[in-house]
Amino acid sequence: MAMRYIGKPLKRKEDPRLIQGLGHYVDDLQLAGMHYTGFVRSPHAHARIRSIDTSKARTAAGVVLVLTGADLQGAIGPVPCAAQLPDMKLALRPVLAHDRVRFVGEPVALVVATERYAARDATDLVEVDYEPLTPVVNPEKALEKGCTVLHEQYSDNIAYRWELEGGDLAKAFKAADKVIRQRLVNQRLIPVAMEPRGVVADYKPGEKQLTVWSSTQIPHLLRTQLAVMLGVPESSVHVITPEVGGGFGSKLNVYPEEALVGYLAMRLGQPVKWIESRRENFLCTIHGRDQIDDVEVAVKRDGTVLGLRCKVIADLGAYYQLLTPLIPTLTGLMICGCYKIPAVRMEITGVFTNKMATDAYRGAGRPEATYIIERMMDLVAAELKKDPAEVRRKNFPQPKDFPYATPTGVTYDSANYQKSLELALRNSNYKRLRQEQAKLRRQGRYIGIGLSTYVEICAMGPSSAMPAGGWESATVRVEPTGKVNILTGSSPHGQGQETSFAQIGADVLGLEPDDINVVHGDTARVPYGIGTFGSRATAVGGTAVYKSLVKLRDKLAQIAGHLMGEAPQKLVFRQKRIISKATKKSIAFGEAVGAAYVAKTLPPGLEPGLDATTFFEPSNFTFPFGVHVCVVEVDADTGDVKLQKYVAVDDCGNVLNPLLVDGQVHGGIVQAVGQALLEEAVYDEHGQLITGELMDYAIPRAADIPWLETSRTVTPSPVNPLGLKGVGEAGTIGATPALLNAVVDALAPFGVRHLDMPVKRERVWQLMRKGRRAK
Amino acid sequence: MIPAAFEYHVPKTLEETLRLLERHGDEAKVLAGGHSLLPLMKLRLAAPRYVIDIGRLRGMSYIREENGQIAIGALTTHADLESSALLLMRCPLLPETAAEIGDVQVRNRGTLGGSLAHADPAGDYPASILALDAEIIAASTAGTRTICARDFFVDMLTTQLRPGEILSQVRVPPLAPRTGAAYCKLHQPASGFAIVGVAARLTLGKGGKIDSAAVGITGVGPKAYRAAAVEKALRGKKPSPKLLADAARHAAQGVEPLSDLHASAEYRREMAAVFTRRALERAIARAQGKKA
Ligand SMILES: Cc1cc2nc3c(=O)[nH]c(=O)nc-3n(C[C@H](O)[C@H](O)[C@H](O)COP(=O)(O)OP(=O)(O)OC[C@H]3O[C@@H](n4cnc5c(N)ncnc54)[C@H](O)[C@@H]3O)c2cc1C
């Protein structure tokens, strides 16, 4: 295959329509007779519902239906959770609460009206009588004896305990020269996709067909779950995802509103729309992270890490969403980072609290792992008075050690950590930065240099390790005119696979990217797929595309060989022609395609048509890695932290389109700046979300971000034919600890050893003041 | 986010506006740029029965010299203030303040009149309006009256404006010779509003001593205020880094600072001093003809 387009920085095919405002999102959908629904949501974090009076709402202008949880008993199944862990307590969430509410924002009733405004107004007319219960907000207090229990069928708030141990931990700690301990908090975050969720449903009673448009990352899984929740045949449900304005995991889920809107469309025989408000998005769409990690590392004086022990309290919120309990376990799998740590032990306690559920948010469990190990490596370096780069280098496995099996039971596919570290140190001019830092400190200016060497687990994943399938599908069709449709089971929503899959198609078939159209996100058009999350769409979905393309190329070669009197193996596809390497004879691509459909000159026994489907099952995850270096300056007066320089070296295996990779890395780093420096979902002691809108929940803006210097090393993955690893989350995973390490490094002259995220300027200011006083 | 129902009026003239306001009293809200009022309505924290849109009134958006003062129409947007050649030459404190407000969209829609009438304790203009000793013109069916900036702000979200009145114009004096002014701000990380915003205006006498000092501070307390103790510590003194730093320590004297998620009262008090010092340093440098 000639690589004319793979690896080239093609601009996205998606961009013109998005830039011109011609994209269609759920809210752009207008159907005749559209009805609108609005939800009545609990203002209490924890309360019993005594009664609900809907009489005023029912008689309000424009209102056609008001329903409470009691009205829906038995009509719709609970919110699904795909995760299963040993000893995991079930905590089924009804689509509308009926006897008890367990977080602020939990829906208790709904209103349907002929108009959006009328629906909103009528939600205020539903009167709910609550008996407040003690809210359980702090996950550590939730574990204490005598604490109020969220789910009354259980005796405590422990959702599950999960343990993982590998190697001889006792020996490791006995042999240690030093044990370094730190408690690390990975705060709760709100994903804040630019487009909140939205659902439209339309039911055709004659055909018994329910069509649901939803802003989701998983159209097929949603279809299956809707069929189960609504008790209808899956063949009667059709899910379409139009343009999706950001997901980051928050739309890798099945939400009550999706089932309810579908139910309403069926019940009323009218199309129904619901568009989430920003407030609802903050309260009722999944949150991310939220772990308290108590970590101990056993080291030798020379910096060799012998063992690591980590106790995790994971705040799961009130109920499980699709993958809630699983996310912290990914932290366990990746806790060793890119180091040879012979012995580890991980103990996770999942806890119920009166908050929205946590679930997969960009990185999902791996940012937590990387943060833990990378903060600890810096603490080791500080304790042993060594350079952070040196301590890391000391503990890397060698390139010859790959595939490398960790004591946590995963096998890293391929890597060269040394190479990316040296490149990052060179690109950032690390030695000079250290000299400059010393010079500035003498002038009373405080810059910090932060380093993080990360590895992550993605391209989810082999089905054996996934809750509901880890394969991906693709159908490729060469149409009679020679144009190509790639139908992918993955569901891109900004990652750019309409472009990168077209690049693969162009190279395999010797066409132009514009000859190739990528179709996704419509369960009636594309084969059953798993979806886009866990940096899987290119490595797993793209491989399925590639394999289907190869099947068609081989078929076309047979047809062309037959027409030309040449051996099919000798034919190459280039510039819309099929060419014999031996004789240089050629025919037009379209001629072979025509022959496949007209079907008069096919080789004997060959089926007509050009349509191939692959369900690709990967043999392993992939493990991208890289090194991030950044420089921050702390304002000595205010404690403000300014990011000044950012150097990233990432290795995501082979690269289909460097522009797309850079875009993913940029976005990932920016989201990491959010976690490191700005973002935190704060619930007060009553369980009220006090960072419930963008006026109080700070997300990064363009002005916060310096030029991002990205570069790459390329270590192909052996687990798929294109050697791809995945890059959707790497930026977020690698950057967060680099940023924190830089801030701590800047504050070293003030005796600061650690501070928690997000780094708030007032906290930095306090620490500096304390440090000055101590001097 | 959907506001409650309201009746919408678009008067064509100021007179018509004032008559509508008189008729509907405190059930009515004037809508200017909408960048404070509409968010409140969408969150249903405000639900006025009548919304009177003055955004299309002619002749209320201008910046011009009048009788030795600069007169600014209430509907002048932040963006217009930021880029006004007249202000940049004669009163650059206002463009410097306007440039710190929100983002481009906010500055393109939000108005000076709306911002002052709203009196958000974290709004930027109040600091500069105070430091400039501006005059605010209020109009009603009974005629117009002039309110000096020091009297205008009464409390959080409360001004001297009475029901039936609208703010029609703001008048500021052009900067006198040997005068420097500066606005320095610590942004709230989420909203971008001021945690502390300090506007300083200093005039040097012939001998290089500080003849007059005016310091307006926003964000710290429930309403913007003049930092009288800072001004007193500066007046008649020869400027030095130490003088400015010492004077700045009085920035929050007599004020009970606000406390919230983003800044405790203690931190606000300390930052008031830091940003007062910074504003004074910059204003002095400018008064001395240096670039700052
Ligand atoms: C995202 C965002 C960020 C922002 N950041 C900042 C910031 O950093 N600093 C800052 O200072 N502000 C900020 N603002 C507020 C912005 O400056 C507003 O424009 C301003 O506060 C109000 O002006 P307006 O013209 O939009 O008034 P409106 O919202 O139309 O009205 C505000 C209030 O004033 C009344 N009103 C308006 N005009 C008059 C008048 N002529 N006479 C009497 N009453 C009147 C209205 O009835 C209403 O009660 C921000 C706003 C947003 C949305």
Side-chain angles (χ1 to χ4, degrees), chain A residues 23-47:
Chain A
H24 283 84
Y25 297 83
V26 172
D27 202 13
D28 293 315
L29 208 72
Q30 298 300 338
L31 300 178
M34 189 81 94
H35 283 49
Y36 300 85
T37 185
F39 294 92
V40 180
R41 297 183 182 275
S42 170
H44 298 282
H46 201 185

Side-chain angles (χ1 to χ4, degrees), chain A residues 16 19 75 93 151 186 215 285 345 388 417 422 463 471 487 509 527 573 613 616 629 652 661 685-686 691 738 764:
Chain A
I19 291 169
R93 175 180 172 191
H151 297 281
N186 216 290
S215 184
T285 292
R345 179 171 172 80
Y417 302 139
E422 298 321 318
S463 298
W471 44 269
L487 311 149
L509 297 177
F573 288 63
T613 296
F616 173 64
V629 181
C652 56
V661 169
E685 71 272 26
H686 310 292
T691 51
V764 173

Side-chain angles (χ1 to χ4, degrees), chain A residues 141-162:
Chain A
K141 291 207 180 120
L143 293 172
E144 284 170 8
K145 276 221 163 61
C147 181
T148 307
V149 173
L150 260 78
H151 297 281
E152 58 276 26
Q153 67 272 40
Y154 302 120
S155 57
D156 57 35
N157 292 312
I158 298 172
Y160 66 87
R161 288 189 194 276
W162 184 89

Side-chain angles (χ1 to χ4, degrees), chain B residues 167-246:
Chain B
L167 192 164
S168 61
Q169 191 187 70
V170 177
R171 294 167 166 273
V172 293
L175 292 192
R178 288 188 308 281
T179 300
Y183 182 67
C184 292
K185 172 181 183 182
L186 180 66
H187 295 78
Q188 197 255 55
S191 72
F193 275 82
I195 287 196
V196 174
V198 182
R201 179 173 59 117
L202 300 175
T203 304
L204 294 173
K206 286 263 156 57
K209 288 190 179 156
I210 298 171
D211 250 8
S212 74
V215 176
I217 299 185
T218 188
V220 177
K223 63 169 183 168
Y225 61 93
R226 281 279 290 261
V230 178
E231 296 170 359
K232 188 160 157 250
L234 294 168
R235 231 171 271 134
K237 305 271 171 56
K238 203 151 173 99
S240 71
K242 181 164 176 347
L243 175 79
L244 303 186
D246 287 346

Side-chain angles (χ1 to χ4, degrees), chain A residues 9 38 41 71 97 335 363 398 444 450 624 642-643 680 701 709 747-748:
Chain A
R41 297 183 182 275
D71 298 329
I335 193 69
Q398 301 301 312
K642 185 129 188 75
L643 179 56
E680 183 177 24
R701 298 159 200 226
E709 300 167 43
L747 296 174

Side-chain angles (χ1 to χ4, degrees), chain A residues 65 70 84-85 138 224 271 343 361 461 519 525 530 587 597 640 646:
Chain A
L65 185 67
Q84 276 183 340
L85 296 172
N138 178 318
T224 304
Y361 169 56
V519 180
R525 293 177 72 194
I530 303 298
I587 62 167
Y597 280 97
D640 238 350
Y646 205 99

Side-chain angles (χ1 to χ4, degrees), chain A residues 695, chain B residues 28-40 54 60 74-75 78 100-103 106 109-118 120 122-126 161 165-168 185 187 191-194:
Chain A
M695 289 293 272
Chain B
K29 271 277 177 204
V30 168
L31 177 75
H35 270 49
S36 290
L37 183 58
L38 293 186
L40 289 177
I54 60 171
M60 294 260 298
L75 289 180
H78 310 331
E100 293 290 329
I101 297 175
D103 50 38
V106 174
R109 299 292 305 180
T111 67
L112 176 64
S115 189
L116 293 175
H118 190 58
D120 192 305
D124 290 293
Y125 288 129
L161 290 175
E165 265 184 343
I166 78 162
L167 192 164
S168 61
K185 172 181 183 182
H187 295 78
S191 72
F193 275 82

